[in-house]
Amino acid sequence: MKVKLWGVRGSIPTPLTSAAIESKIIQALSLAKPGDISSEESVRSFVSELPIFIRGTYGGNTTCIEVETTAGDLFIIDCGSGIINLGKELMKREFGRGHGVASIFLSHTHWDHIQGIPFFAPLYVAGNRFNFYSPIPDLEDRILYQQKNTHFPVSFERMPATKRFFQIGTDEYSYINDVKLYTKLMPHPGNAYGIRIEDGDSIFVYTSDCEFTINEIEDIQNYEQFFADADLLLFDSQYTFQESVIEKISWGHSSSSIAIDIASKFNVKKLILFHHEPNYDDEKLSGLLANAKTYTSVNKKVSDDLTIDMAEEGKVYEF
Ligand SMILES: [Zn+2]
Ligand SMILES: [Zn+2]
């Protein structure tokens, strides 16, 4: 299975500001020694070794994940603004000729998970086929509503690709071609659903958005089937621990320490901290990742085998 991250930001798209770019350039130049900038090759080598918060960005697009199964089937999970760049890539392939087929899973219909749909170019090409899957019974109505003419000039019906909607159950397996899907209701205002994809021996679990509080942790065994033995877990870690337990209770999101506890308990191999807070810049996110790694090393209950990444737009995982 191959998983590519196209959108990792929570709540609202967050473009880099001019001031942020200037700050990155100043930090980079401040670190450079004369030998680092003596040739184009040395500049490239120097830049490639800078930390991501100086040389680049974790990304500002809202949630969208591409999954390619071993059989070559395409799954798209959530349709935040990240789906726009995915759409540009797909248009270079069979989707540009109207021969594309993809399954789309929507965790829920908060704006940051559907706002890319009106700008997803493959939906404007007749012949492409998109099958939408979700436990949400009125999903089609909600998508149609987003593109009423008071909100957008092109209605969803007038996008010429073929769109079909399928409601799938929770706490049970659904089968699409060669893969097994298992969905689970997550604690989140207005409800959201996590999805587990099993492709042969490879397991990918996606849970955005979710707020795991002390209540859920007490009953965490209810989630065992959903999380168990995942090769890759994308988990909502929008807040710091302080925010999640004191300042932003019931806002619908979790922290990295809760994500780590759950990942470790259920034998997850790699945890990706995801759905970044829009108010946090790249340096803050790098600091949160460092804190998360410290937490895993000092907490004896956390498995030594668990590895952690901060979700980064454009990154690909194959397992
Ligand atoms: Zn969200
Ligand atoms: Zn949400």
Side-chain angles (χ1 to χ4, degrees):
M1 189 169 5
K2 193 158 95 178
V3 173
K4 182 165 183 179
L5 316 185
W6 289 94
V8 300
R9 188 68 59 167
S11 306
I12 193 152
T14 311
L16 278 179
T17 62
S18 192
I21 293 167
E22 190 176 309
S23 163
K24 288 171 191 280
I25 293 170
I26 290 169
Q27 285 184 75
L29 291 176
S30 306
L31 292 169
K33 300 183 188 70
D36 295 325
I37 51 173
S38 58
S39 67
E40 186 180 334
E41 194 184 347
S42 65
V43 169
R44 286 186 187 282
S45 165
F46 167 70
V47 169
S48 71
E49 284 172 20
L50 290 171
I52 182 177
F53 68 86
I54 299 178
R55 82 178 137 73
T57 179
Y58 288 104
N61 279 305
T62 51
T63 57
C64 179
I65 306 299
E66 175 190 8
V67 179
E68 188 185 324
T69 68
T70 43
D73 292 331
L74 172 64
F75 282 77
I76 299 168
I77 304 178
D78 281 342
C79 303
S81 65
I83 202 173
I84 300 168
N85 286 333
L86 169 59
K88 289 175 187 167
E89 275 305 303
L90 295 179
M91 290 297 283
K92 297 174 190 167
R93 299 164 27 186
E94 67 275 25
F95 288 87
R97 303 188 300 276
H99 297 146
V101 180
S103 302
I104 296 180
F105 176 80
L106 286 174
S107 63
H108 63 316
T109 52
H110 283 163
W111 278 336
D112 50 326
H113 299 260
I114 61 169
Q115 64 198 167
I117 292 174
F119 301 95
F120 183 49
L123 280 169
Y124 290 88
V125 181
N128 288 334
R129 288 181 287 140
F130 293 96
N131 296 321
F132 289 77
Y133 296 91
S134 178
I136 301 167
D138 59 340
L139 181 67
E140 185 170 7
D141 289 342
R142 297 189 193 189
I143 300 302
L144 289 169
Y145 182 73
Q146 179 176 227
Q147 284 174 241
K148 281 187 176 294
N149 63 4
T150 47
H151 303 314
F152 195 72
V154 182
S155 69
F156 187 70
E157 296 103 311
R158 279 184 48 218
M159 298 172 101
T162 301
K163 294 93 66 185
R164 298 196 300 165
F165 287 80
F166 301 91
Q167 187 182 359
I168 54 177
T170 57
D171 297 290
E172 63 184 22
Y173 279 104
S174 305
Y175 297 83
I176 299 175
N177 297 335
D178 296 328
V179 301
K180 290 162 75 176
L181 308 182
Y182 185 94
T183 66
K184 184 91 183 157
L185 177 64
M186 291 291 133
H188 187 65
N191 291 342
Y193 297 90
I195 185 167
R196 172 187 174 98
I197 300 180
E198 297 183 24
D199 177 15
D201 292 334
S202 304
I203 302 170
F204 171 50
V205 175
Y206 170 95
T207 176
S208 173
D209 308 10
C210 60
E211 180 176 11
F212 279 83
T213 64
I214 204 78
N215 292 336
E216 280 76 35
I217 297 300
E218 277 176 8
D219 296 325
I220 199 66
Q221 280 312 123
N222 294 338
Y223 295 86
E224 182 174 16
Q225 175 123 25
F226 179 70
F227 288 116
D229 303 320
D231 294 290
L232 190 72
L233 167 63
L234 247 78
F235 196 101
D236 175 354
S237 336
Q238 180 159 347
Y239 298 148
T240 62
F241 182 71
Q242 161 120 351
E243 287 168 336
S244 71
V245 299
I246 298 171
E247 297 158 20
K248 297 183 177 178
I249 296 168
S250 303
W251 288 31
H253 304 286
S254 298
S255 68
S256 61
S257 46
I258 288 165
I260 291 163
D261 289 348
I262 291 173
S264 180
K265 180 170 184 57
F266 293 120
N267 196 31
V268 169
K269 294 185 185 66
K270 184 176 260 306
L271 166 68
I272 313 290
L273 307 175
F274 179 69
H275 202 273
H276 305 322
E277 162 64 40
N279 289 317
Y280 289 169
D281 63 16
D282 290 306
E283 190 162 7
K284 171 86 175 183
L285 291 174
S286 284
L288 292 178
L289 177 61
N291 289 348
K293 288 183 173 173
T294 302
Y295 178 77
T296 58
S297 61
V298 299
N299 188 338
K300 296 279 176 270
K301 286 184 184 167
V302 175
S303 159
D304 292 338
D305 298 331
L306 177 67
T307 58
I308 306 174
D309 270 359
M310 189 59 78
E312 181 184 330
E313 214 171 284
K315 198 144 185 179
V316 177
Y317 297 91
E318 259 186 284
F319 47 95

